[in-house]
Amino acid sequence: MSVGKTGKILLADIGGTNARFAITEGDQTGPIDYVKVADFPTVREAITDVLARRAGGEPPPRAVLAVAGPVTNNRCVMTNSPWVIDGNELQPALGFDSVHVLNDFEVVAWSLPALQPADLIPLGGQAGLPGEPLLVVGPGTGFGVSCLVERHGARLAVVTEAGHATLPAENEREEHVIACLRRRFSGHVSIERGALSGSGLQSLYEALAEVDGAAVPHRDAAAITKAALDGSCAHSRATLEMFCAILGSVAGNLAVTFGARGGVYVAGGIVPRFPEFLAASAFRARFEAKGRFQDYLRNIPTWLVTKPDASFVGLKVFADHNLD
């Protein structure tokens, strides 16, 4: 493995609804093309269309594609779209020398060393230790977790399914909420489903209302967040406060699990909408609340990632670090 730059590279960030494409050469990344997944029956046709408009139909030598789903053997069957992204098929079909398919949160992990102060909001802690693991967590449609590990100049992004681990409680009120969720879900309550995702925030809102015996209107995650931030609903605010506290606990658990002394980053589609609220919440206190390991956590910095195109940074870093 070596680090360097060579030729043009097609970069893509592919979700269930939208896909974004760009062609990079050296340090320069061209304009981003936004494509609706529903407009193309396959990813191959979408790429062909982008290349026709941006590269005269000629494919760059390499492609690196981030996908919102699990990747096995360079292949992803998308959960919320009919596309199947198979790098080993796309390579000969479109004339690439190589195609890498990566999980989208793996790509965010690759971006972390290249993020600048303007891309981040500090959330407490000391300076990270150089060369130590960097952890990224992200509530969004699901709950993503990845860790970037560097040893002897080689980097590896560890992809996880940590969002499906059991949701922890740290006080009696949270125990009551999780007990309510356990009845609703017929047993196991995961981090993602019970709290730290869009649907999880809604589940938290409804369970907290049941615990408190409160009659509240139906709200989705966006409406809960809006009502919490504009002060129109005390119950929504209490839900968002619990969400931030649980996020701190889970992030702290994962930090000690991975030994992420380089730093912990919060990304995803939800939290960047309320950075001031997060900073003023119990997030950092709960992150550090690990008993005898409190000093260990106190030294780990936490940041909120605010850069909207961090995935393209990660795609480029991966491409430069993994020359074929």
Side-chain angles (χ1 to χ4, degrees):
M1 183 180 294
S2 60
V3 180
K5 302 180 178 68
T6 183
K8 293 183 179 180
I9 308 167
L10 175 70
L11 307 179
D13 183 8
I14 301 170
T17 304
N18 299 296
R20 301 183 296 162
F21 297 89
I23 295 174
T24 184
E25 183 171 15
D27 290 326
Q28 301 301 313
T29 298
I32 295 174
D33 273 288
Y34 292 80
V35 170
K36 288 191 177 298
V37 170
D39 290 345
F40 297 91
T42 67
V43 68
R44 177 177 171 179
E45 289 169 279
I47 292 174
T48 299
D49 178 74
V50 169
L51 294 179
R53 289 184 284 108
R54 294 294 181 189
E58 280 294 316
R62 307 167 64 204
V64 185
L65 315 177
V67 295
V71 177
T72 304
N73 296 326
N74 211 32
R75 183 177 187 268
C76 176
V77 178
M78 299 291 287
T79 303
N80 297 312
S81 89
W83 283 9
V84 176
I85 293 88
D86 190 325
N88 298 330
E89 288 183 1
L90 290 172
Q91 179 181 335
L94 293 175
F96 293 106
D97 292 340
S98 69
V99 177
H100 289 281
V101 181
L102 309 177
N103 170 266
D104 56 350
F105 244 76
E106 178 182 2
V107 167
V108 178
W110 277 102
S111 77
L112 300 179
L115 295 180
Q116 302 300 310
D119 304 325
L120 305 167
I121 294 175
L123 296 171
Q126 307 300 314
L129 297 179
E132 292 299 308
L134 305 175
L135 178 72
V136 59
V137 303
T141 303
F143 183 69
V145 177
S146 185
C147 186
L148 189 68
V149 180
E150 182 171 348
R151 290 295 181 268
H152 310 297
R155 288 177 182 166
L156 172 68
V158 180
V159 184
T160 83
E161 293 294 343
H164 301 290
T166 304
L167 178 65
E170 296 218 0
N171 55 51
E172 188 174 348
R173 184 163 170 77
E174 289 176 4
E175 288 172 358
H176 290 316
V177 167
I178 292 173
C180 174
L181 292 169
R182 195 176 293 118
R183 292 191 296 272
R184 178 175 301 188
F185 297 142
S186 302
H188 183 251
V189 181
S190 70
I191 293 168
E192 175 179 301
R193 198 178 185 195
L196 300 185
S197 66
S199 62
L201 180 61
Q202 184 175 335
S203 294
L204 203 61
Y205 171 86
E206 293 168 355
L208 194 58
E210 183 175 328
V211 168
D212 290 345
V216 296
H218 172 79
R219 288 188 170 100
D220 62 12
I224 294 165
T225 302
K226 181 179 183 299
L229 298 179
D230 67 19
S232 61
C233 174
H235 181 75
S236 293
R237 185 175 184 86
T239 301
L240 199 61
E241 287 172 348
M242 183 174 285
F243 174 95
C244 293
I246 291 173
L247 178 60
S249 290
V250 169
N253 288 345
L254 291 166
V256 295
T257 300
F258 284 98
R261 294 187 294 171
V264 175
Y265 298 74
V266 180
I270 295 177
V271 185
R273 300 176 186 178
F274 47 87
E276 295 86 1
F277 189 98
L278 178 67
S281 74
F283 167 82
R284 183 68 203 192
R286 290 278 292 265
F287 177 84
E288 296 180 7
K290 295 291 179 270
R292 293 177 298 168
F293 251 56
Q294 184 165 334
D295 288 343
Y296 181 94
L297 272 300
R298 186 179 291 125
N299 289 324
I300 295 177
T302 47
W303 291 283
L304 176 63
V305 179
T306 56
K307 187 175 179 62
D309 57 351
S311 57
F312 281 91
V313 175
L315 288 163
K316 184 63 168 61
V317 171
F318 174 86
D320 290 345
H321 200 78
N322 293 270
L323 291 177
D324 298 295

